[in-house]
Amino acid sequence: MDKIVVEGGNRLVGKIPISGAKNAALPILCAALLPTGASTFKNVPQLADVKTMAKLLRMLGWTVEGEKTTYTIAPPTGKKKPKLEAPYDLVKTMRASVLVLGPLVARYGRARVSLPGGCAIGARPIDQHLKGLQALGAKVTLDHGYVEVEAKRLRGATIVLDMPTVTGCENLMMAAVLAKGRTVIENAAREPEIEELATVLNKMGARIQGAGSPMMTIEGVDELLPIEHSIMPDRIEAGTFAVAAAMTRGDVLLEGARPEHLEAVIAKLRACGVTVAAESGGMRVRGGGDINAVDIVTQPHPGFPTDMQAQFMVLACMAKGQSVIKEMIFENRYMHVPELGRMGADIVIDGRTAIVRGGPKLTGAAVMATDLRASASLILAGLVASGKTEVLRVYHLDRGYEAIEKKLRAVGAKIKRAKQ
Ligand code: EPU
C-alpha cells in the first residue's frame, strides 16, 4: 500500500488543472444503463471509484471501454442478457454502487443491489431511495442483505423527500425518466451534480425541469438515446486546492474551476482574508496576510458543503482566534480531528460541533487517513506543518483525488508517494 509524504513550508504558486467531478461522473456512468446504444463521456476523472463503477457496469453486462479520461459504455447486444445485480463485494467498497438501482428497474423492470451498510462518516441509510421507488410503483423487498426492486413499468408520482439526499435524488431521477407519466420530486437536492445529471438525461431525450431547485418535474418518456458528454469540473477538488493555496499564502490559478459552484466556499475563504477572483479559464486564489477565524455550518447545497468541512478545519487551525464548525450532514465526520491533534491542532468536539482554537504551529507526524476528505485535510496540514508528515492508508485519497501529489508538486509542494 502507498503513503503520501509531505515536507511542510513551501508556498504554492502556479496553475492546477481541475479534473472531472467524481460525484458527477459516478451517477452519469450509471445513466449510461438507460439509452439504447453506446454513450461516450469525456473528462472522466481517473479515480479508484470510477474504476470500481466501470467494473460494476461490466459485471452487469455492459461494455466499458475507457482510455484515460474518455469512456464509451454500450449495452449488452444479441443474446447477451444483462445481469441485474450489484454484489456486496462491490457495494461495500463504494456506496455509490446503489445508483444502478434506479436505471436498472426503470429499463429492465428489476434490480437486486446489496444494501450498503454504514460507513466511516455515518450510518447513511438509503430509505429515501427506496421510499421514492415505492412511490413510483415498485415492489421493494429486503432479502439476505440485498434489496430487490421490481416493477413492470414505473408510474409517475409525487415524492416528498424527508431530506434533500443527493444520490437518492439521482436514483429517482434515473428511475422516473422512463416511468409512465409525470413525477414530481419535492425537497430535491440542489447540488450542481444534480443539474449535471439532468443535463445528461435531457440530452438523452428525458424531460426534466427544475433540476437545481427544490422541486423537479420529470415527464416520463418511452426510450432514451445514446449521447456524448463532457463531465463538469470537480468543485470539491477545486475547493481543496483553494484551501491549499490560502494556507501556504500562495497564488494559484485553478484551471477549469467554476466559481458559481463554489459560492459558499468562496464566501468563507474571503471571510478568512483570502483573495478569490474569477478569471477567464478558472478561479485564482491568493493567500497573504493573517487568516481570520471563521464559523461554518455544513448544509445541503447551496449551503457550505460537508465535503469541504475537514479542509476548512485545517485552515481554521492556522487562524488567529477560535472558529466554530458544525457538521450537520453526517453524524461522524470528525475522524480527522484526533489525527490533526497528533499534529498539534487544538480542537474540541462536542456532538456535532467542533471548536478550533487556531494558533499552535502544526508539526509533521505519521497520521492515518480515515475517509476521502479527511485524507485531503491531512495532506493540507502537512503542507504547512514543520518537518515531515506521512499520510497512511492513502487508498481513501485515490478514490476521489486524481494525482493529487503530482498536481501539488507542480505548484511547488514537497510531496511524494512512497511504499507504506
Ligand atoms: N440520508 C438518509 N436516508 C437516505 C439518504 C440519505 O437518511 O435515504 C441522510 C444521510 O445519512 C445524510 C444525509 O441524508 O445524513 C445526506 O446524505 P446524501 O444522501 O445527500 O449523501 P450521499 O448521496 O450518500 C453524496 C456524495 C457525498 C457527499 C454527500 C453530501 C456522491 C457519490 N456522494 O452522498 O460525497 O458528502 O452527497 O453532499 O455523490 C465524498 O465525495 O467524499 C462524499 C462523501
Side-chain angles (χ1 to χ4, degrees):
M1 202 190 297
D2 291 348
K3 63 182 175 186
I4 299 280
V5 184
V6 195
E7 294 268 355
N10 285 13
R11 192 170 168 251
L12 303 188
V13 179
K15 295 178 182 174
I16 304 181
I18 301 304
S19 299
K22 167 181 83 85
N23 290 347
L26 296 175
I28 287 172
L29 294 181
C30 294
L33 297 170
L34 289 164
T36 49
S39 288
T40 297
F41 301 105
K42 297 186 173 161
N43 203 34
V44 180
Q46 300 185 66
L47 300 171
D49 271 8
V50 166
K51 295 204 176 89
T52 307
M53 188 59 89
K55 188 172 166 193
L56 173 56
L57 299 184
R58 285 193 192 103
M59 284 175 83
L60 297 173
W62 271 251
T63 309
V64 182
E65 282 170 6
E67 202 194 314
K68 294 197 169 160
T69 56
T70 300
Y71 275 59
T72 297
I73 303 172
T77 49
K79 285 198 178 137
K80 221 173 131 199
K81 287 261 177 294
K83 187 168 182 290
L84 306 172
E85 177 172 315
Y88 181 56
D89 273 359
L90 274 187
V91 180
K92 77 172 193 282
T93 60
M94 187 184 65
R95 302 179 56 82
S97 310
V98 299
L99 285 165
V100 301
L101 206 50
L104 286 181
V105 76
R107 176 125 191 251
Y108 297 94
R110 197 170 65 80
R112 188 167 186 266
V113 172
S114 167
L115 274 174
C119 86
I121 60 176
R124 303 182 77 181
I126 59 161
D127 56 302
Q128 299 300 304
H129 304 225
L130 302 181
K131 179 183 99 171
L133 289 168
Q134 275 170 327
L136 296 174
K139 186 174 150 226
V140 175
T141 346
L142 296 183
D143 168 46
H144 298 290
Y146 279 73
V147 54
E148 286 190 22
V149 182
E150 276 177 278
K152 263 210 178 91
R153 182 164 184 195
L154 296 169
R155 295 182 314 268
T158 294
I159 302 165
V160 185
L161 293 172
D162 289 359
M163 76 286 291
T165 154
V166 177
T167 48
C169 247
E170 290 165 349
N171 236 338
L172 296 174
M173 288 161 77
M174 291 190 279
V177 283
L178 288 179
K180 192 166 172 51
R182 173 186 296 186
T183 297
V184 178
I185 305 178
E186 290 191 36
N187 198 19
R190 297 153 72 182
E191 271 67 7
E193 292 77 13
I194 298 274
E195 283 188 68
E196 177 82 346
L197 177 63
T199 302
V200 162
L201 293 169
N202 283 346
K203 268 192 186 177
M204 289 174 173
R207 292 172 61 201
I208 304 176
Q209 280 188 333
S213 81
M215 193 175 97
M216 222 183 308
T217 307
I218 303 169
E219 296 287 348
V221 297
D222 291 336
E223 183 180 79
L224 294 175
L225 299 173
I227 58 156
E228 199 177 296
H229 182 79
S230 180
I231 288 171
M232 68 178 217
D234 195 311
R235 65 193 166 101
I236 305 300
E237 188 199 20
T240 303
F241 289 133
V243 172
M247 289 178 64
T248 62
R249 299 185 155 75
D251 183 352
V252 175
L253 179 69
L254 303 168
E255 289 178 315
R258 294 205 194 144
E260 68 272 23
H261 291 170
L262 280 156
E263 281 173 2
V265 171
I266 292 171
K268 290 296 174 186
L269 282 169
R270 288 187 176 140
C272 287
V274 178
T275 307
V276 185
E279 283 197 8
S280 70
M283 188 173 110
R284 186 168 170 198
V285 182
R286 274 170 293 169
D290 288 339
I291 291 166
N292 306 320
V294 70
D295 294 342
I296 284 169
V297 182
T298 66
Q299 283 171 336
H301 194 80
F304 188 92
T306 172
D307 289 345
M308 284 299 300
Q309 177 258 109
Q311 301 90 315
F312 258 74
M313 190 175 283
V314 186
L315 185 59
C317 288
M318 294 184 68
K320 275 194 162 170
Q322 179 172 291
S323 303
V324 178
I325 298 180
K326 282 193 180 155
E327 171 54 59
M328 301 309 288
I329 307 294
F330 294 113
E331 67 274 18
N332 196 25
R333 211 174 197 183
Y334 284 137
M335 306 271 279
H336 42 287
V337 171
E339 301 301 309
L340 291 172
R342 300 192 60 250
M343 297 178 73
D346 181 354
I347 306 168
V348 178
I349 304 284
D350 181 10
R352 286 187 177 266
T353 304
I355 295 165
V356 185
R357 295 185 195 106
K361 174 97 181 101
L362 299 177
T363 55
V367 284
M368 196 72 92
T370 46
D371 73 75
L372 172 56
R373 308 303 169 188
S375 318
S377 77
L378 297 174
I379 289 191
L380 295 179
L383 291 175
V384 294
S386 60
K388 188 163 84 174
T389 298
E390 291 190 338
V391 182
L392 310 176
R393 279 214 218 144
V394 87
Y395 60 87
H396 287 294
L397 201 65
D398 294 335
R399 294 184 55 181
Y401 288 91
E402 183 178 306
I404 189 169
E405 74 279 14
K406 288 188 190 135
K407 290 188 184 189
L408 286 171
R409 205 160 48 230
V411 290
K414 220 169 158 199
I415 180 168
K416 65 176 185 198
R417 183 178 286 259
K419 286 278 164 239
Q420 194 165 305

